[in-house]
Amino acid sequence: MDQTQIDALRSIPVPPRGHIIDGQSVAASDGATMDIVSPIDGSVLTQVARGTVADMQAAIASARASFEDGRWSGMPPAARKKVLLKWAELIEANALELAVLGVRDNGTEINMAIKAEPGSAAGTIRYYAEALDKIYGEIAPTSADVLGLVHKEPVGVVGAIIPWNFPMMIGAWKLGPALAMGNSVVLKPAETASLSLMRMVDLAHEAGLPPGVLNAVTGEGAVVGEAMGLSMDVDVLVFTGSGGTGRRLMEYAARSNMKRVYLELGGKSPNIIFADVPNLDEAAKVAAGGIFRNAGQVCVAGSRLLVEAAIHDEFVAAVVKAAEAMTVGNPLDMTTAIGAVNSEVQLRANLGFVDTAKSEGGEVITGGDRILQETGGYYMAPTVVTGVTPEATLTQKEVFGPVLGVTSFTDEAEAIRLANATVYGLAGGVWTSNLSRAHRMVKAVRTGVMHVNTYGGADGTVPLGGVGQSGNGHDKSLHAIEKYINLKTAWIKL
Ligand code: ADP
């Protein structure tokens, strides 16, 4: 990737697009569309179909029909694998085009997006393609007069609701294992980041995925997402997004067919720095990257910095230096370290959190403001707030923006108490030269992933999932497959 290649793609017109139902592009049943606004400059990029309840129902019916007739669920595993491998190849072949389209839609800096979006999506699809013919059933250790077989069957129709921060990566976390196991899928991309994911769905069809197996409906969460949640014909709902929406999805399931619901929700992840941090400047840089990349719009972002009092001032100064060295700007420039905030709504919410932090006694050491307003886009300076108390809003609520709250602690016990003092438990980090302490912290912090002397970057070989109100179930690794299969016992008298 070089800047000239990006520049050739950065302003090409994006044609309006419809849903993908039964392998066809279709308009909303009432013809309605919605504008897609680019956070880079606030301009209207294109339009997508504004889905109706009827559209969602049609997509679910198509998925159900495809599942029942076995065009995918009944295909020999080796053939399914071939299609998925081809899909991964096409995603890679179109990586730059996909990445630029995605960045124009959601604002992630291109140097991160190219790897985290098409790069990671292709890797994920390939991982599950390769796994699909290595997943065996079981023979139970029964007495000699019976044979107990445990079959692993696809669940049926999977509904997948995807957020806007990393649509292709997170989309692939759901689509890879769901399709590999033979399910049919209905996808609901986020309002403010649907274009690259929809293009990825086109490529699945180009790779030979039969029509109806993967349908995608754009539009508002409160309309088409709700219709998916309330459907009697969706068997499993998988979701990444906010806690409020996650709660609603559980309600929809309870009010309809009690579908299985797997939620990957927010976090307020503690990044804990002990005074024996191996390399203070390096840790400060990684800590800054761990909250500010993608403008803080990362579910595992290390948004709470817990620093041992003895090095508090020195460490904060190093983080501020690292933050101020990160260029905020047009996400399509390769030198940009922090791109645009996804939407104006999100930007306003971020600024609101800064005001609240100040009113609760926090001190803004750097950032705190909207910047580059003259571009028409939504940009915010990386923000560091010190003196954040355990009760403060900045400790308790996820911002999902480039805002880091700093709290100091005096010993290991206090660090653990602070780390565990929220309803969340998605990620965390600990920096220390003491191996025993590192292991103690990994055990003591209630979270789905704990980093030691690094932050972020865990790849597809390890599971990602939260505890507490950060969700349930796992994306990534072979563990994710459990969400997309049913176990069926055959108990056979011999
Ligand atoms: P955020 O607040 O960060 O945008 P959301 O949880 O609202 O996060 O969005 C994540 C996904 O959930 C998006 O695809 C969005 O359209 C969808 N969504 C939002 N509201 C609902 C809802 N009531 N029912 C189902 N899906 C929804």
Side-chain angles (χ1 to χ4, degrees), residues 29-98:
S29 60
D30 61 3
T33 62
M34 53 198 244
D35 283 345
I36 300 298
V37 174
S38 176
I40 296 179
D41 56 9
S43 66
V44 174
L45 252 185
T46 187
Q47 286 79 32
V48 299
R50 186 186 289 272
T52 62
V53 171
D55 297 337
M56 180 51 75
Q57 286 167 347
I60 294 168
S62 165
R64 174 58 60 192
S66 75
F67 182 74
E68 297 300 339
D69 73 16
R71 73 187 81 159
W72 179 250
S73 52
M75 196 186 265
R80 281 209 307 268
K81 175 181 185 166
K82 217 169 162 187
V83 172
L84 294 179
L85 287 175
K86 178 78 188 161
W87 187 21
E89 208 177 279
L90 289 177
I91 293 168
E92 266 169 1
N94 290 276
L96 191 65
E97 179 221 317
L98 285 164

Side-chain angles (χ1 to χ4, degrees), residues 268 303-306 312 357-358 360-364 384-396 403-408 418:
K268 196 74 216 187
S303 55
R304 285 191 295 144
L305 191 64
L306 307 182
H312 176 275
K358 284 187 205 155
E360 291 176 351
E363 190 183 347
V364 177
V384 178
V385 185
T386 54
V388 177
T389 64
E391 303 74 35
T393 306
L394 213 49
T395 297
Q396 297 299 333
V403 182
L404 178 66
V406 188
T407 307
S408 79
L418 289 170

Side-chain angles (χ1 to χ4, degrees), residues 247-267:
R247 210 177 275 279
R248 275 190 209 104
L249 297 181
M250 292 182 119
E251 285 175 19
Y252 299 154
R255 280 161 52 197
S256 54
N257 62 346
M258 297 195 274
K259 55 181 71 64
R260 274 152 57 181
V261 179
Y262 295 104
L263 306 172
E264 202 261 86
L265 308 172

Side-chain angles (χ1 to χ4, degrees), residues 161-162 164 188-191 221-222 225-226 239 241-242 245 248-249 252:
I161 301 181
I162 309 300
W164 43 260
K188 212 304 275 171
E191 292 85 331
E226 181 180 272
F239 171 74
S242 65
T245 302
R248 275 190 209 104
L249 297 181
Y252 299 154

Side-chain angles (χ1 to χ4, degrees), residues 280-452:
L280 189 142
D281 287 325
E282 175 62 17
K285 266 189 213 148
V286 176
I291 173 66
F292 298 131
R293 293 285 272 158
N294 200 19
Q297 302 163 137
V298 179
C299 56
V300 298
S303 55
R304 285 191 295 144
L305 191 64
L306 307 182
V307 191
E308 191 166 351
I311 57 161
H312 176 275
D313 293 355
E314 188 188 356
F315 196 80
V316 169
V319 169
V320 167
K321 189 171 162 215
E324 289 175 351
M326 295 174 86
T327 315
V328 183
N330 190 312
L332 289 171
D333 294 342
M334 283 176 70
T335 50
T336 291
I338 303 174
V341 172
N342 178 254
S343 66
E344 196 170 359
V345 171
Q346 196 64 31
L347 175 64
R348 270 202 234 109
N350 294 346
L351 296 171
F353 274 108
V354 174
D355 288 342
T356 305
K358 284 187 205 155
S359 73
E360 291 176 351
E363 190 183 347
V364 177
I365 303 290
T366 187
D369 305 310
R370 178 177 187 174
I371 54 172
L372 302 172
Q373 199 159 349
E374 66 283 4
T375 61
Y378 316 129
Y379 299 91
M380 182 168 172
T383 302
V384 178
V385 185
T386 54
V388 177
T389 64
E391 303 74 35
T393 306
L394 213 49
T395 297
Q396 297 299 333
K397 295 262 187 283
E398 183 180 44
V399 177
F400 218 61
V403 182
L404 178 66
V406 188
T407 307
S408 79
F409 66 86
T410 50
D411 58 21
E412 199 175 308
E414 190 184 14
I416 294 168
R417 228 177 14 254
L418 289 170
N420 289 337
T422 76
V423 298
Y424 296 111
L426 189 58
V430 58
W431 298 75
T432 176
S433 302
N434 179 332
L435 183 64
S436 301
R437 172 149 65 198
H439 282 292
R440 284 197 299 272
M441 294 299 288
V442 167
K443 277 196 184 162
V445 179
R446 281 197 305 272
T447 181
V449 54
M450 204 50 194
H451 306 89
V452 178

Side-chain angles (χ1 to χ4, degrees), residues 24 43 59 125 166 205-206 224 282 300 360 372 375 459:
Q24 303 294 316
S43 66
I125 302 297
F166 293 104
H205 291 100
E206 278 177 36
V224 287
E282 175 62 17
V300 298
E360 291 176 351
L372 302 172
T375 61
D459 73 16

Side-chain angles (χ1 to χ4, degrees), residues 11 30-31 70 86 109 134 143 165 169 185 196 205 237 248 251-252 261 280 288 340 423 456 469:
S11 48
D30 61 3
K86 178 78 188 161
E109 53 277 4
K134 296 164 194 73
S143 58
N165 54 339
M169 174 174 82
V185 180
S196 55
H205 291 100
L237 199 53
R248 275 190 209 104
E251 285 175 19
Y252 299 154
V261 179
L280 189 142
V423 298
Q469 291 186 31

